[in-house]
Amino acid sequence: MFRGFLTYTSRRIPYHSNHYFSTFTASPLPPRDTLLFKPQKPNHHIKPHPLLPFPLQNLVDQYKTSQSHLNLPISAQNPVHDPHLRFETYEFLVHRYQDSCSPKDAKQFHLQIFKNGFTTDLFLPNTLINIYVRIGDLVSAHKLFDEMPNKNSVTWACLISGYNQNGMPDEACALFKGMICAGFIPNHYAFGSALRACQESGPGSLKLGMQIHGLISKTRHASDVVVCNVLISMYGSCLDSADHARCIFDGIGIKNSISWNSIISVYSQRGDAISAFELFSSMQREGLGFSFKPNEYTFGSLITAACSSLDSGLSLLQQMLTRVKKSGFLRDLYVGSALVSGFARFGLIDYAKNIFEQMSERNEVSMNGLMVGLVRQNQGEAATEVFMEMKDLVGINIDSYVVLLSAFAEFVMLEEGRRKGREVHAYLIRTGLIDVKVAIGNGLVNMYSKCGAIRDACSVFRLMVDKDSVSWNSMISGLDQNECFEDAVISFCTMRRTGLMPSNFTLISTLSSCTSLGCLILGEQIHCEGLKLGLDLDVSVSNALLALYAETGCLTECQKVFSLMPEYDQVSWNSVIGALADSEASVSEAVRYLLDMMRAGWSPNRVTFINILSAMSSLSLSKLGHQIHALALKCSVADDSAIENALLCCYGKCGEMDDCEKIFARMSERRDDISWNSMISGYIHNELLHKAMDLVWFMMQRGQRLDCFTFATVLSACASVATLERGMEVHACGIRACSESDVVVGSALVDMYSKCGRIDYASRFFELMPVRNVYSWNSMISGYARHGHGDKALKLFTQMKQDGQPPDHVTFVGVLSACSHVGLVEEGFKHFKSMSEVYGLAPRMEHFSCVVDLLGRAGELDKVEDFINGMPMKPNVLIWRTVLGACCRANGRNTELGRRAAEMLLELEPQNAVNYVLLSNMYASGGKWEHVAKARMAMREAAAKKEAGCSWVTMKDGVHVFVARDKSHPDKDLIYEKLQELNRKMRDAGYVPQTKYALYDLELESKEELLSYHSEKLAIAFVLTRNSSLPIRIMKNLRVCGDCHSAFTYISKIVGRQIVLRDSNRFHHFDDGKCSCGDYW
């Protein structure tokens, strides 16, 4: 009876411990710091002490030697049978050991229980189990449990709770199952500890937790508030939904503050700030009579919830700061740490530092929170300073070193960050911390990767003893970020072979590498992997797939991925809009997606506008560009420099240079290299070269550095209008800016000199280039072809292949043109066939046009027709115009082919005057004047305007332009006098006007007079009125006629000067009565 009193109704035994048990029925109460009472307190673990197993026989052996050291009453030193003395001994042992946390006390208490014959008692062994639990000696606790002859539900609850408190939830679950199998009915503490163990074990133990819940529902504990609180916490942690937890909460009859804290914590962990704060308001309303005041755990959960809200998080956090100050919890370690971390996350570093300094107590958690905030704000140096200031004041944990390593990657000078990182790396090796936790290795891999030391990252990764999915993700991501794309893909394959399951981060980095490599097949395989694992539903993975299919030109797959996405973010919309905007055929689709995006409630951001404006630029859609500009103004992003640059590009290509100048003027200090280059490109695109050059000079005057793109753009413009002098000036600027060694600028210089008639300069610069790319080779080959040096072009093509530079489509355009200009028909066909057979390049329309021109110049018109009929594609305007031009040069032969070509041209381009002129010239060359008249009548009826033929020369005093029979020039008298002098000397030298090129039905004398005053002859006469011995350079917008070509050969010999004539097709170099074309043109 007395034993039963002590075991089950020991209210009279005083109990002052706050750790495990209350005095009520000697039942085990959960520790205050477990989630059974305060479910919000995160990541609190009891540090286990070294295991101290004490078999009972050993304790007996040590008993005799320890008697003198025990401060026990006489009755406790000798076993007694008197009930009164036995009660005093019992009372003494309870008071002496029930609050103990000492391994030595546990050993002595165990001895006393054995010595005094209390082994069959329940209360004292249960108390001893609790002591073993406190010191972390679960082995001794379980051994005592096994040796106890009698057990009750309290005994089982003690050990279940002990396993759970010491981070052994699986053992706790197994013991609970044993308790049920042994026929014991769990009390509410056993239920609570078992449920907590299920929660700690993760979603895998949810089934057991639900079974326990079912068992609870059949007992009187179903309405127990303590058990319900634990159920709330378990369901909140193990399920994706908070519905089950809310159902339990709503079913609690009388809620306590822990109930409210538990459910608020559930919503906080879910990131549902609205529900968390609504519950907080309800807690305050319903708790008026119960004094449900928010405590540190309430504030901790609410602060976490506020941080998860992107829209109103900062406002909520500031309100919480005010409430915390009012409640007096600002100096609390837990609340202060949460506030520091929260404000640091939102970038309010001053707030975070101020709270950090006001905290009465700081630990590694508060320090880490502040450091994380600084790192997120790219203030790596400041985060490092915080660590150095606090490392001797707080206990540094592993997470502190991980955060510190991440700070080095945010240094302004990455080299300095890498140096600091190596110092910490050395310290971690020296102290042996590097292998204590895998997070350290992961932090090192991440730090080295972001600091650009990818080899060091790989070295750390190889030496890591343990690797988890984060390790592989860090390595794959680092390789991708450092452009080691192939290695990233190989690492992904290696990871799969280890058996580790890839996460969404793994797929994102690997897909990024596949995109950079343009490796569609491998990307599709990874897409399948994501489908199998269900990771394709992750929005970031889907975005990576959108980028892959967009970059590889698979727009259909891109749209399909987008349509299957369960949810979208801003990146998703921008990706699909950007993919469609890059394709001219899909621009209307891009605009449709933009409208869908806005209807779905998303606002376009800077990336959206840049993507859609690039589409407007490519199609020169001026009106739509104005609408997009208006939308940008409405969204208040029009002042963003990137969007202004996109607008400059769009308006420039649409011919709206006035709008460009207005935007450019407003940009002022926001102008960057792209702004200047966009303006220059716009001027050049709209044939305003003088404004482009003025802007270049203005840039130089204000000290603006010209980049390689600027030089290449201006040089390209100089090449397009053959302004050699301006081109040479730009070249000089490039030399001063040390940019001529750049391969892009060098290629542009080669192109400019060849198009401006100085093929010798182009060749010389090409030979001096330190580095050449395919554009350099193409420019030189095309230049030789354009100047009639076909043999040099083909020789250079051979050298290009020998140097290991593979040719592209543009290369073969130059090679085929070279063969065409020098009449190498067979060699031309050989190169044409090699495109597909040797280099795997499918011939395009321009290559077929070159072959048609090759045959036409050689006079093989019958082969032209056969070649066209055998083309794998339908001939376009370029092909038919080439055919018609060949028929014109054939002096009226095969007019049927020419007529067919003309019919196709007039069907495709009825408004183009060139088609009518070519048809008229074909008939005129054959003397069919009636057909000539019909062709000219058709041109008038179609309202097609013929471009007037003109020639121009550049002199020191400017550019002088001439048209046929021009008498508008101020020096017209001198010009015509010089022209008559040249005509006399040419006739004396044997020149005979070739009247067949006077394509009008006139008398012979009239034809000769008409030929005498062609624009190129007036231009050369003008040049010869000036005193100079320099080569004469004349440009003509149309093809030079045969008579002028013949006249220039005579003039070059008569005046003893080189004449360079550039017409619409090629260059002619006349020197000493000969032309570089060999009269084959």
Side-chain angles (χ1 to χ4, degrees), residues 1045-1072:
H1045 185 273
S1046 175
F1048 275 32
T1049 59
Y1050 283 96
I1051 294 172
S1052 67
K1053 189 173 183 67
I1054 291 169
V1055 301
R1057 291 172 67 179
Q1058 183 184 7
I1059 303 171
V1060 180
L1061 171 66
R1062 194 191 86 165
D1063 65 7
S1064 59
N1065 291 336
R1066 59 174 293 168
F1067 279 90
H1068 297 269
H1069 294 258
F1070 301 95
D1071 193 12
D1072 196 25

Side-chain angles (χ1 to χ4, degrees), residues 687-695 726:
E687 300 181 357
L688 300 170
L689 181 62
H690 63 287
K691 285 196 172 185
M693 298 303 294
D694 289 344
L695 194 59
R726 285 294 181 97

